[in-house]
Amino acid sequence: MTVTRSARVRSAARVVLGGALIIAGLGHLTFARNDFQAQVPDWVGIDKNVVVVLSGLVEISLGSALIFVRRRRSLLGLGVGVFFIAVFPGNISQFIDGHDAFGLDSDTARRNRLFFQPLLVAWAWWSTNALALLRRSRSA
């Protein structure tokens, strides 16, 4: 079976995203816990530390799956994109509430970060070919 250049690029992008998720997840559990807590909106109603630990474990799991799981990769990519959408309110909350974290210490920096979340969703969906799965399900 011949692997195209496009498939290699997608695969590399998927592995890089998986690695980034693992590192971010480890940050949730260790060195960046306070910064991640600053992103948990007050309205969540669950202890911020619990939310950060649980989301860190999810990120480590998703990142590992992106790297190692071969079956149903497109479905996994959909899930990763949905996860990025699910945590987006935390980024919005950080902007609205003016919480400093991750070096984002101005309204401009916090606002600009909001534009990167859709790119993460697109990255997850493109690198796993998840959009093809959606197109197939619509045509079925």
Side-chain angles (χ1 to χ4, degrees):
M1 179 172 145
T2 304
V3 178
T4 66
R5 183 175 188 275
S6 174
R8 286 193 306 270
V9 170
R10 277 184 198 261
S11 183
R14 177 183 44 77
V15 170
V16 168
L17 181 59
L21 277 166
I22 292 169
I23 291 168
L26 292 172
H28 278 72
L29 304 178
T30 58
F31 60 90
R33 190 180 291 192
N34 289 334
D35 285 330
F36 282 110
Q37 287 175 359
Q39 290 187 291
V40 178
D42 293 331
W43 52 262
V44 169
I46 302 171
D47 180 71
K48 291 182 179 198
N49 192 53
V50 171
V51 171
V52 169
V53 168
L54 291 176
S55 61
L57 293 173
V58 169
E59 286 187 346
I60 292 168
S61 299
L62 290 173
S64 298
L66 280 173
I67 295 170
F68 298 111
V69 172
R70 298 175 70 91
R71 303 186 75 137
R72 301 184 189 245
R73 198 169 270 160
S74 295
L75 189 58
L76 172 62
L78 279 176
V80 172
V82 168
F83 173 77
F84 287 141
I85 292 167
V87 299
F88 190 57
N91 299 343
I92 295 169
S93 174
Q94 182 183 9
F95 170 66
I96 291 171
D97 296 338
H99 292 152
D100 294 347
F102 304 109
L104 305 174
D105 56 3
S106 71
D107 287 341
T108 300
R110 288 185 288 270
R111 182 195 67 234
N112 290 344
R113 186 195 185 286
L114 296 176
F115 295 104
F116 288 100
Q117 203 74 6
L119 295 177
L120 288 173
V121 174
W123 185 356
W125 289 354
W126 176 80
S127 69
T128 61
N129 209 20
L131 295 178
L133 180 67
L134 289 176
R135 283 191 290 272
R136 280 194 307 264
S137 68
R138 265 193 256 159
S139 65

